[in-house]
Amino acid sequence: MPQQLVRPSPAQTRPGDPAVEGTGPVPTASGPAPDVSPASPGTPGTGRRAPGRAAGVGRAALPRLAAASRRLGRAPGLVLAGLVLGVVVLWAVVPGAFSSWPPDTGVPTDRLQPPSAAHWFGTDSLGRDLYSRVVHGAATSLAATAVAVGVGLVAGSLLGLLAGSLRGWVDDAIMRVMDVLLAIPSLLLSLALITVLGFGTVNIAIAVGVASVANFARIMRAEALRVGTAVYVEAARSAGVRWHTILLRHVLPNAAGPVLALSALEFGMAVLSISSLSFLGFGAPPPSAEWGSLVAGGRDYLVAAWWLVTLPGVVIAAVVLATNRLSHAFANPERNRT
Amino acid sequence: MIRFIGRRLLQGAFVLWAAYTVSFFILYLLPGDAVSIMASGDEQNAVDPALVARLRSEYGLDRPLPEQYLIALVKALQLDFGISIKNGVSATAAVAEVLPETIKLAAAGFALAVILGSALAIGAAFSRNRWLRQAFAALPPLGIAVPTFWIGLLLLQFFSFRFRLFPAIGNDGVASLVLPALTLAIPTAAVIAQLLSRSLHRTLGEPYIEQIRAKGASDALIHFGHALRNAAIPTLTMLGILVGNLLAGAVVSETVFSRAGIGRLTVTAVNSRDIPVVQTLVVLAAAIFVLTSLLVDLIYPLVDPRINTARRVSV
């Protein structure tokens, strides 16, 4: 389980804890000092900083931040991943702040320009700025991904929770269906659903989400089984708490960790699936720009304009790489400390 | 052993039945009926009204639901999944026609993936140079993160258009197989490399490796003669999923390189909402998964004689 959750305040951390102890160049008061003066457990943070600055609001938060940033300093890949995702989210929220070119109207005389200072990613066959199209496409791509992960997370968690806590034939029935879903490659499953749902960004998002339901259900069921045998759940049950209250109050919060780690991983996979499906032409119709369809649009200009395919693809790969790195950090927090 | 195989075949039959049933209910029941979905295509693939009438009676859509399902199931047992809306031939025939092309592609892709993936994993375990080691370790996450269609297009751009080494499209000859197979292989190789290097790392830390090393065995003997075999087992377990991924990758790879095959058939079937063909493909994917899992169970004892599959399962 994530160590961070167990560590509510730095006052509880022992100086020997490799996570907090500064081995980096950042000067800290930890060392022999906190060992000598742990006399006031009620005032967290005294041992962590110079006594003169110990007073003030958020005493506990500051050293925790410092420790976190020191830890991050030792994982530059993680920082980079966070930066990439931060920028892409900003693209989606305020695209206008990142590119001055309009995404949908081009300058015909500027068609198929290679990347330059004016057009970072070059221009397409209609003279539209590719960087601007990628920036404006972020909202569609990320929203579709969020819908996909949301569908998978909610439906899968519910099914897994039901299977893991009700057991018996409900468990058998749900999990056999999940096994069958796992036997079919997820892209094929999504394609089958698109056949029924029809085309469009929302539909491919739903299809990708449904295809990931089985993964969520499995993890959630395992967690529900694990938590269901815990003493506090036994206690609640014998105290006469109703089953749905137990599920919501005890099982769900305690099972959330691994499920959320999985959803971080599934986020990256969903970016890939959605871009693949929109590359295949099942996404939104042409004028709108989604990352996968941007790559598809460059297919006809492979010889004349390498940037049309290459650069949007680099963006997709960078986003997936970044989410995978974050989900990795999320799933095994102890790995980031060394 | 015979009993074990029989039992596994029964389980496999159950998965196939369930896959058929799930796909039947998804594809034929969600909105309206199958024929109306198929007939509601856009103008360019408008459906002949006579065919619609024939299909309606064929599927017995006026009958009660359980009856419809039973009729369809009995037909499916005879490998009759209905008639392709696209060209009027049976869906099974439409799939069988292009299946060999995809098998070729997938086999080539799988072979490449195993070679590349194990080379990366062994390279990472073998190399003493820190930078080289990190390069080996960094490649698999990269391979997992890049979109398959993008790899395909980049390969096309460099090796077909710039250097003209391989044909860009088509199904003729070995040369046309190289780039699509490589496209297919890269994500799978990345997964294999990750799994294998993780378990190699673990295996190399085991006491028996220590002992072999103490006896004076060379690095090569330790890696290839002892560790690799034990480390291969977790990867073997994933084989069913990996083969399924190859099938999904074929959808993209065949589209990028305009190859005939199951993958492209899938895309055209979804485009024209050709439900019988889509369902055939879904059941085929499940069948491939079942067969691969059975194969893996039969291979386990060959890799590690301690695993007695038949006994393990019957316990």
Side-chain angles (χ1 to χ4, degrees), chain A residues 144-168:
Chain A
T145 309
V147 168
V149 176
V151 167
L153 178 68
V154 172
S157 301
L158 272 179
L159 288 171
L161 205 56
L162 281 180
S165 48
L166 295 183
R167 321 266 179 93

Side-chain angles (χ1 to χ4, degrees), chain B residues 114-143:
Chain B
V114 170
I115 294 169
L116 280 177
S118 345
L120 272 180
I122 294 167
F126 231 155
S127 52
R128 291 280 163 269
N129 181 319
R130 190 162 150 260
W131 292 104
L132 201 62
R133 216 182 164 86
Q134 277 184 345
F136 276 128
L139 277 176
L142 195 66

Side-chain angles (χ1 to χ4, degrees), chain A residues 176-177 179-189 191-199 269 272 275-276 279-282 291-292 295-296 299 302-303 305-307 309-314 316-317 320-321 324, chain B residues 14-15 18-19 22 26-27 30-31 37 141-142 144-150 153-154 156-157 161-162 241 244-245 247-249 251-252 255-258 266-267 269-271 273-275 278 281-282 285-286 289:
Chain A
R176 287 300 80 75
V177 174
D179 284 347
V180 171
L181 292 186
L182 284 174
I184 303 166
S186 55
L187 189 68
L188 197 57
L189 197 56
L191 283 169
L193 288 164
I194 288 169
T195 315
V196 176
L197 296 172
F199 304 163
M269 295 296 106
L272 279 184
S275 64
S276 296
F279 169 79
L280 291 173
F282 300 122
W291 292 341
V295 175
R299 270 183 82 182
L302 274 181
V303 184
W306 58 269
W307 55 91
V309 157
T310 309
L311 297 178
V314 169
I316 300 175
V320 178
L321 208 56
N324 285 355
Chain B
F14 168 79
V15 172
V22 168
I26 291 176
L27 289 172
L30 271 178
I37 287 184
L142 195 66
I144 287 172
V146 292
T148 315
F149 56 90
W150 187 61
L153 288 174
L154 289 190
L156 200 60
Q157 197 170 337
F161 293 138
R162 189 146 312 166
I241 306 236
N245 279 344
L247 214 60
V251 173
V252 172
T255 308
V256 169
F257 293 96
S258 305
T266 313
V267 175
V270 174
N271 255 321
R273 314 193 96 178
D274 196 342
I275 288 179
V278 174
L281 291 164
V282 168
F289 179 82

Side-chain angles (χ1 to χ4, degrees), chain B residues 90-126:
Chain B
S90 88
T92 328
V95 172
E97 195 195 335
V98 288
L99 185 59
E101 287 303 320
T102 303
I103 291 179
K104 265 191 257 170
L105 175 64
F110 186 67
L112 267 176
V114 170
I115 294 169
L116 280 177
S118 345
L120 272 180
I122 294 167
F126 231 155

Side-chain angles (χ1 to χ4, degrees), chain A residues 44 47 66 82 87 97 115 134 144-145 165 187 198 224 263 265 268 285 304 312 333 336:
Chain A
V87 167
V134 170
T145 309
S165 48
L187 189 68
S263 46
L265 190 68
N336 303 312

Side-chain angles (χ1 to χ4, degrees), chain B residues 178-290:
Chain B
V178 175
L179 294 184
L182 196 58
T183 306
L184 205 55
I186 286 174
T188 312
V191 176
I192 292 179
Q194 268 193 333
L195 288 168
L196 197 59
S197 66
R198 205 174 302 155
S199 53
L200 250 184
H201 188 75
R202 202 169 38 234
T203 311
L204 286 174
E206 299 227 347
Y208 77 93
I209 295 288
E210 204 64 25
Q211 184 179 0
I212 300 165
R213 185 165 293 155
K215 280 176 158 181
S218 67
D219 257 10
L221 182 64
I222 290 174
H223 280 87
F224 293 101
H226 295 275
L228 198 59
R229 199 167 161 149
N230 279 309
I233 288 176
T235 315
L236 204 56
T237 311
M238 291 290 287
L239 199 66
I241 306 236
L242 289 176
V243 170
N245 279 344
L246 281 179
L247 214 60
V251 173
V252 172
S253 172
E254 287 174 359
T255 308
V256 169
F257 293 96
S258 305
R259 278 179 69 87
I262 287 188
R264 216 152 56 115
L265 181 68
T266 313
V267 175
T268 40
V270 174
N271 255 321
S272 52
R273 314 193 96 178
D274 196 342
I275 288 179
V277 172
V278 174
Q279 193 182 17
T280 315
L281 291 164
V282 168
V283 175
L284 177 70
I288 290 172
F289 179 82
V290 166

